[in-house]
Amino acid sequence: MDRREAMGLGLAGGLAGALLPRAAWGQEHETGYLPGDSQEFIGLWPGTPPGGDGIHLDLKVTDAVQPDGFHVRAVSQIQQPGFFVYRPVKPTGLGLLIIPGGGYASEGGDRGGREIAQYFSNLGIISFVLRYRLPGEGWAHRETVPLQDAQRAVRLIRQGEYGVSRLAAIGFSAGGHLSATLATRSGMPTYTRVSGADGLSAKPDLAAHMYPVITMGEGAHQGSRDKLLGENPSPEAVADWSLEKHVTADTVPSFVCLATDDDVVPPAPNGLAFYSQLQDMKVPSQLNVFEKGGHGFSLHWSQGKPCGAWPQLFLAWAATHGFKV
């Protein structure tokens, strides 16, 4: 039995939301598992995920160790999505769904993932790092695949025995596109109900979008658009997934954070445009713009810099919306 089959049995043997033993997702251990990673992984779907008939992927993990010893893993070829749970020693009743970036071509295992979960769980916030399917890996209805996984994760967290009274979502880069999609389209029907959890709301109580990909039009991050929509999307698809066009008064209260020297995801047509629409629609929101930081400053790369203040700024804002540590 190969590892992929073991993972399939781990999900098929019980309802989605059950804890999978490490043996069922052991690729991580063999290709870059690090001390400090969560031992608890919750699968999202019983059996084949939506739109996955005939798809067979072997998890791929690359690990680029930085000069200071920090690991930067990129995860792709994701057959079985789920989330890793980081439980605090002293829980506060707050929960955080963490959505790593990677241009919808891969996902960060550490940057915008593990490091974020460790930071916030140390503050008493139970943290869930989402491993979502990538839209360019053969799934049907590719543009809705990440949202399917994010919606299902929120619902399973709400159904699970995690003690979460308030749930926030935070996304980084392309993960910020997904967190903003949740903020604007949590109720969008994207899959057929598979369990009782799907009767629950997929709407977070609040959200944070870090140097987010937002637009699919002019100024889009080309790689993210190509992976989400294909290389030649229709004007309708571009408009449909340009999230600055879909902010309503019902959008989740949002924190937007970026740096003006971001030369990967241009701030003006992305995070700044999204914030402008939030303000126009009178959605409770806050914008923090740093002079320096570039793209992907996250936590490790922001140490000792002004942009390193973002977690405290986020928590101070979140506290005014009932998300108080």
Side-chain angles (χ1 to χ4, degrees), residues 73-76 78 100-108 132 134 137 174 227:
R73 287 171 298 175
V75 183
S76 60
I78 296 165
Y104 283 133
S106 64
E107 294 167 26
Y132 54 96
L134 298 167
E137 294 187 337
K227 291 299 183 182

Side-chain angles (χ1 to χ4, degrees), residues 245-269:
K245 299 179 182 294
H246 299 284
V247 176
T248 69
D250 194 45
T251 295
V252 172
S254 290
F255 175 92
V256 180
C257 183
L258 50 83
T260 56
D261 64 345
D262 188 335
D263 59 0
V264 176
V265 177

Side-chain angles (χ1 to χ4, degrees), residues 9 26 54 67 78 89 93 95 128 149-150 154-155 182 190 209 216 235 246 249 260:
L9 287 175
I78 296 165
V89 175
F128 310 89
D149 290 346
V154 170
R155 289 166 174 151
L182 261 185
T190 62
H209 320 294
M216 294 287 128
H246 299 284
T260 56

Side-chain angles (χ1 to χ4, degrees), residues 36-214:
D37 278 351
S38 174
Q39 300 281 320
E40 188 177 352
F41 180 77
I42 306 299
L44 295 181
W45 306 99
T48 303
D53 291 342
I55 295 178
H56 301 288
L57 302 170
D58 287 311
L59 189 71
K60 180 180 178 181
V61 183
T62 61
D63 187 4
V65 183
Q66 304 302 293
D68 61 2
F70 188 79
H71 290 255
V72 180
R73 287 171 298 175
V75 183
S76 60
Q77 297 180 195
I78 296 165
Q79 175 89 27
Q80 297 292 357
F83 52 82
F84 297 88
V85 184
Y86 290 75
R87 295 180 182 269
V89 175
K90 296 181 179 180
T92 59
L94 303 178
L96 184 64
L97 178 65
I98 299 164
I99 309 175
Y104 283 133
S106 64
E107 294 167 26
D110 312 288
R111 187 183 206 168
R114 171 179 59 94
E115 62 165 358
I116 306 300
Q118 290 173 337
Y119 179 91
F120 285 103
S121 64
N122 284 337
L123 299 177
I125 301 171
I126 186 168
S127 298
F128 310 89
V129 178
L130 182 64
R131 173 165 290 173
Y132 54 96
R133 289 168 294 147
L134 298 167
E137 294 187 337
W139 306 94
H141 308 294
R142 62 192 293 165
E143 68 280 1
T144 63
V145 162
L147 181 57
Q148 289 171 351
D149 290 346
Q151 289 176 324
R152 178 76 172 158
V154 170
R155 289 166 174 151
L156 288 177
I157 290 167
R158 289 221 158 99
Q159 182 191 56
E161 296 180 356
Y162 300 111
V164 173
S165 59
R166 297 282 287 172
L167 179 65
I170 184 170
F172 298 80
S173 191
H177 186 271
L178 185 46
S179 63
T181 307
L182 261 185
T184 56
R185 291 177 161 172
S186 62
M188 177 181 175
T190 62
Y191 63 88
T192 302
R193 179 171 174 161
V194 296
S195 75
D198 296 313
L200 300 176
S201 172
K203 186 176 183 178
D205 294 299
L206 62 160
H209 320 294
M210 301 293 300
Y211 35 88
V213 173
I214 293 293

Side-chain angles (χ1 to χ4, degrees), residues 269-291:
N270 287 283
L272 295 181
F274 190 69
Y275 177 74
S276 177
Q277 291 300 310
L278 291 168
Q279 289 291 292
D280 285 351
M281 298 304 297
K282 302 189 184 308
V283 176
S285 49
Q286 178 167 306
L287 172 68
N288 284 101
V289 178
F290 295 99
E291 179 184 4

